[in-house]
Amino acid sequence: MTGVPASATGGTGRPAPRGKLGTAAVNPVSVWNIANILTMIRLVLVPGFVVLLLQDGGHDPVWRAWAWAAFAVAMITDVFDGHLARTYNLVTDFGKIADPIADKAIMAAGLICLSGLGDLPWWVTAVILARELGITLMRFWVIRHGVIPASRGGKMKTLAQGTAVGMYVLVLTGPLATLRFWVMAVAVVLTVVTGLDYVRQAVVLRRRGLAAERAAARAETSAR
């Protein structure tokens, strides 16, 4: 076993010529890969989800069930597209931009529609959307110093938000209606707590970055 893939050896067991192997190694990942296609499906589902949710005044149980199905598919694609991109090296610039946009678009659409229908207090929508927008802008603010990775708390927050919004999309009564209230309460708490943690990380990252820049500047001045 040589460790050289069959595709690189042409199936003969001999390494391919350097030129061919080098060309294959630098070929860019196609935008039309499975991870990006799932992201595009999620983007297309956003307007479809809104239309389904608002049919017949937005309170028809059947249309709400179809809206929930569209929302559930969007959430499932969110789980798989990032995993596929990382596992199979399908990361592209398009995916880096489109994936977070799709994530926030479907969640924002659900929250705004639910608040507009009177099913969810506007302050809940405002807290969640303000947090998401603020953290996104903050990531760009510190990006030259480093990247703030997604935390376990952040992933729990996303799961809680998706579960809560999905439960509010459905027409639930009795104990399930009470349960969804508490699931949303947990989602709001996680939204705030993880948001504050990201702010802390951003401040620490920026301080370290600025300190490193000052140290480099001093070293360059001394070298002169």
Side-chain angles (χ1 to χ4, degrees):
M1 195 164 180
T2 62
V4 180
S7 59
T9 64
T12 64
R14 295 188 301 273
R18 182 181 298 273
K20 292 183 180 179
L21 183 58
T23 302
V26 298
N27 278 345
V29 178
S30 171
V31 172
W32 296 100
N33 62 63
I34 184 62
N36 285 347
I37 289 173
L38 289 176
T39 298
M40 286 185 271
I41 289 174
R42 193 157 72 260
L43 284 168
V44 171
L45 281 171
V46 175
F49 163 69
V50 172
V51 170
L52 291 170
L53 182 57
L54 300 181
Q55 282 293 316
D56 289 342
H59 296 288
D60 184 276
V62 176
W63 285 112
R64 295 279 287 249
W66 281 109
W68 177 86
F71 183 81
V73 171
M75 291 295 98
I76 291 171
T77 62
D78 180 29
V79 172
F80 283 104
D81 61 359
H83 174 73
L84 289 171
R86 291 186 297 271
T87 302
Y88 297 102
N89 194 27
L90 300 176
V91 178
T92 63
D93 290 337
F94 171 82
K96 292 177 183 177
I97 297 172
D99 184 65
I101 291 175
D103 296 346
K104 290 172 176 53
I106 190 70
M107 189 62 65
L111 291 166
I112 292 171
C113 287
L114 289 170
S115 291
L117 292 170
D119 295 336
L120 189 67
W122 275 107
W123 71 264
V124 173
T125 296
V127 167
I128 293 177
L129 295 186
R131 185 270 192 197
E132 299 300 334
L133 178 60
I135 296 303
T136 299
L137 294 175
M138 188 185 64
R139 287 180 185 274
F140 283 109
W141 178 54
V142 300
I143 196 167
R144 71 188 183 97
H145 302 297
V147 176
I148 303 175
S151 65
R152 181 173 298 180
K155 294 176 182 177
M156 291 175 59
K157 177 269 303 180
T158 300
L159 177 62
Q161 285 182 0
T163 303
V165 170
M167 293 181 74
Y168 269 87
V169 169
L170 291 171
V171 179
L172 301 178
T173 58
L176 288 177
T178 302
L179 176 62
R180 73 180 180 183
F181 168 83
W182 289 109
V183 174
M184 182 60 78
V186 170
V188 171
V189 171
L190 288 174
T191 296
V192 174
V193 171
T194 57
L196 293 174
D197 183 58
Y198 280 132
V199 170
R200 179 192 63 79
Q201 291 184 57
V203 171
V204 171
L205 184 63
R206 187 169 186 271
R207 285 177 178 173
R208 290 176 179 173
L210 292 175
E213 289 176 359
R214 287 193 293 267
R218 286 194 298 267
E220 184 178 350
T221 301
S222 300
R224 292 177 184 174

